[in-house]
Amino acid sequence: MSGSDWSRDPVVLDAMRRAAELGQRVLGSTSPNPAVGCVVLDRHGHVAGTGATRPAGREHAEVLALREAGEAAVGGTAVVTLEPCAHTGRTGACAVALRDAGVARVAYAVADPNPAASGGAALLREAGVDVVGGIDEQEVATGALRPWLHATRTGLPHVTWKYAASLDGRSAASDGTSQWISSEPSRAEVHRIRAHRDAVLVGTGTVLADDPRLTARDERGAALPEQPLRVVVGDRDLPESAKVFDDSAPTVRLAGGDPDRVLRSLAERGVTAVLLEGGPTLAGAFLEAGRIDLVEAFVAPALLGSGSAALGDAGVVSISQAWRFHFERVRMCGRDVWISAVPSEG
């Protein structure tokens, strides 16, 4: 790689895609730190080392990739999803590690919005390293970094609302039965989504109605080694025998149901990504508060005609007040349609 436009070299772009995949793999295990991926290329453009952020207090992606690359990093290129940090916390500054390793070029996707950690690009440039930012920025920013970026900019966790419903928007039949509206492939995707979140949130109504365990499980139904925090919101009494209180994952109870108060409490616990799996009442409250940042909807090819709606009152009395979203992605999942949507701007 050479020339002024080295950052558009297909080798660099491919390395950025690989770095984004590395970040995705560790999403849900790094909070309150971001899920960053890094690929180090040697001076000939060959992959010499890779890394992804480890849990808080342990190595960052760049350090792991440099360690694997060893001397091959000298004169090479580091490709990283987030601007290398310039501060020293429980771990050293990644920008300093890259500088000291002798890399010649650094390409990153997203600038660090955290004023306490930003400045890595400037530090590297002052050391004579060729630095280019904004590589595949939009794609990377809406991937593994999205929850952390949201939490850093707003001070509150990113909230994904997941629901399964029939074609006519029902989440349960009139007799209360809901298992299973969605297909087995859709349920498997839900477990993957859970595994990538720091916390799973439900209300007391869901616990009383469905008695869910809320753990993340693999394709064989076995619990994953790392589990999200289970959060139950509400004031109703719950039986001690409820599955959500077993020892398969930690659980906290939060009184009341005010979305902002709930999210502030979770932010204080270092949570940056929340999966909202509560019933229609809790979902409506979060939507009315403007606290749903991503919707993951699994729509089954079935009609129920009556029963519980997926969404309760969200403060909408006129079509002009509708909460508008745009589709980021629509795809088949088994026999269901899986829709990912984010709030429309403006």
Side-chain angles (χ1 to χ4, degrees):
M1 294 177 292
S2 62
S4 59
D5 201 26
W6 61 266
S7 63
R8 304 311 302 173
D9 188 301
V11 172
V12 174
L13 298 178
D14 185 65
M16 183 61 78
R17 285 188 285 272
R18 184 168 179 179
E21 291 170 0
L22 290 167
Q24 187 67 35
R25 292 178 192 174
V26 298
L27 181 60
S29 67
T30 67
S31 292
N33 294 331
V36 176
C38 179
V39 174
V40 172
L41 306 172
D42 66 17
R43 62 177 67 245
H44 304 294
H46 301 136
V47 175
T50 62
T53 305
R54 292 197 174 159
R58 299 181 63 188
E59 300 94 333
H60 289 190
E62 298 94 324
V63 172
L64 293 169
L66 289 171
R67 182 181 300 167
E68 185 176 292
E71 291 299 316
V74 178
T77 302
V79 181
V80 60
T81 54
L82 183 67
E83 177 188 3
C85 63
H87 80 302
T88 300
R90 284 188 282 179
T91 59
C94 294
V96 172
L98 291 166
R99 180 197 66 191
D100 293 349
V103 299
R105 293 168 295 274
V106 172
Y108 67 88
V110 182
D112 194 331
N114 182 1
S118 62
L123 185 154
L124 288 163
R125 289 190 182 104
E126 290 173 2
V129 179
D130 192 355
V131 182
V132 177
I135 309 300
D136 281 352
E137 180 176 10
Q138 181 62 26
E139 182 174 349
V140 173
T142 55
L145 288 178
R146 170 147 58 184
W148 179 84
L149 289 170
H150 173 90
T152 300
R153 291 164 178 157
T154 67
L156 295 175
H158 179 276
V159 177
T160 299
W161 174 40
K162 183 281 302 178
Y163 74 91
S166 60
L167 279 173
D168 52 345
R170 304 292 178 178
S171 59
S174 58
D175 66 354
T177 57
S178 60
Q179 298 180 354
W180 296 100
I181 290 177
S182 59
S183 64
E184 186 174 339
S186 293
R187 298 196 297 275
E189 289 297 339
V190 169
H191 282 285
R192 278 188 275 273
I193 293 171
R194 279 183 187 171
H196 289 157
R197 299 301 186 272
D198 304 321
V200 179
L201 178 66
V202 298
T204 53
T206 294
V207 175
L208 291 170
D210 300 334
D211 193 21
R213 183 166 278 114
L214 299 178
T215 51
R217 299 186 290 278
D218 63 19
E219 294 83 356
R220 299 167 299 169
L224 297 175
E226 299 293 332
Q227 292 290 332
L229 176 69
R230 299 179 295 192
V231 183
V232 180
V233 175
D235 300 318
R236 282 186 283 185
D237 291 335
L238 297 174
E240 293 182 2
S241 60
K243 294 175 184 175
V244 76
F245 297 130
D246 67 18
D247 59 3
S248 59
T251 302
V252 298
R253 286 206 62 178
L254 298 177
D258 177 73
D260 281 355
R261 182 179 298 175
V262 168
L263 293 177
R264 284 195 297 269
S265 177
L266 294 178
E268 291 171 358
R269 289 172 164 84
V271 170
T272 62
V274 172
L275 181 61
L276 175 61
E277 291 200 54
T281 301
L282 192 61
F286 269 73
L287 182 58
E288 185 172 9
R291 295 305 182 196
I292 291 180
D293 308 301
L294 173 66
V295 176
E296 299 285 13
F298 295 86
V299 182
L303 295 169
L304 296 178
S306 62
S308 299
L311 182 66
D313 181 16
V316 176
V317 296
S318 168
I319 195 67
S320 64
Q321 297 175 311
W323 294 91
R324 299 291 182 178
F325 285 71
H326 74 264
F327 296 152
E328 275 196 337
R329 192 177 178 191
V330 179
R331 62 279 201 198
M332 296 302 298
C333 187
R335 65 174 182 265
D336 307 326
V337 177
W338 178 9
I339 301 170
S340 299
V342 295
S344 298
E345 296 181 0

